[in-house]
Amino acid sequence: MEELILKKREFEEKIVETINNSNLPAFIIKPFLKELFEQVNLLEQQEYEKSLKSKEEKETQDKLKHKN
């Protein structure tokens, strides 16, 4: 868990540094970040659905094991 926290912080710092060093005006950066946010939301939904499916499959397997 700690490793993920550190990776998250490093990732955030790199994004901020990249944006600050881009010398692009906000009206160009803002739509890009909006699109990026939408992509991340989609990925998050896909990960959630995958996790839910995995959990359901595990529960089904556990039920089958307990029947035998």
Side-chain angles (χ1 to χ4, degrees):
M1 184 67 154
E2 293 162 353
E3 184 178 332
L4 283 176
I5 293 169
L6 294 173
K7 283 184 177 184
K8 177 187 177 285
R9 181 63 170 254
E10 182 181 319
F11 179 70
E12 289 171 344
E13 289 172 356
K14 286 181 180 180
I15 288 177
V16 169
E17 181 182 346
T18 300
I19 290 170
N20 289 338
N21 292 335
S22 73
N23 295 320
L24 292 170
F27 78 90
I28 291 176
I29 294 172
K30 188 175 178 181
F32 170 76
L33 290 177
K34 182 180 178 199
E35 183 180 333
L36 184 63
F37 182 70
E38 290 169 359
Q39 295 280 337
V40 171
N41 279 337
L42 179 61
L43 179 61
E44 181 183 36
Q45 182 64 31
Q46 291 170 348
E47 289 173 347
Y48 169 76
E49 290 171 3
K50 182 179 178 183
S51 294
L52 190 59
K53 183 177 179 181
S54 177
K55 179 183 176 193
E56 289 171 352
E57 289 173 354
K58 185 179 183 301
E59 288 173 352
T60 301
Q61 288 176 358
D62 287 346
K63 287 179 184 178
L64 289 174
K65 284 181 183 177
H66 290 300
K67 279 187 172 183
N68 296 331

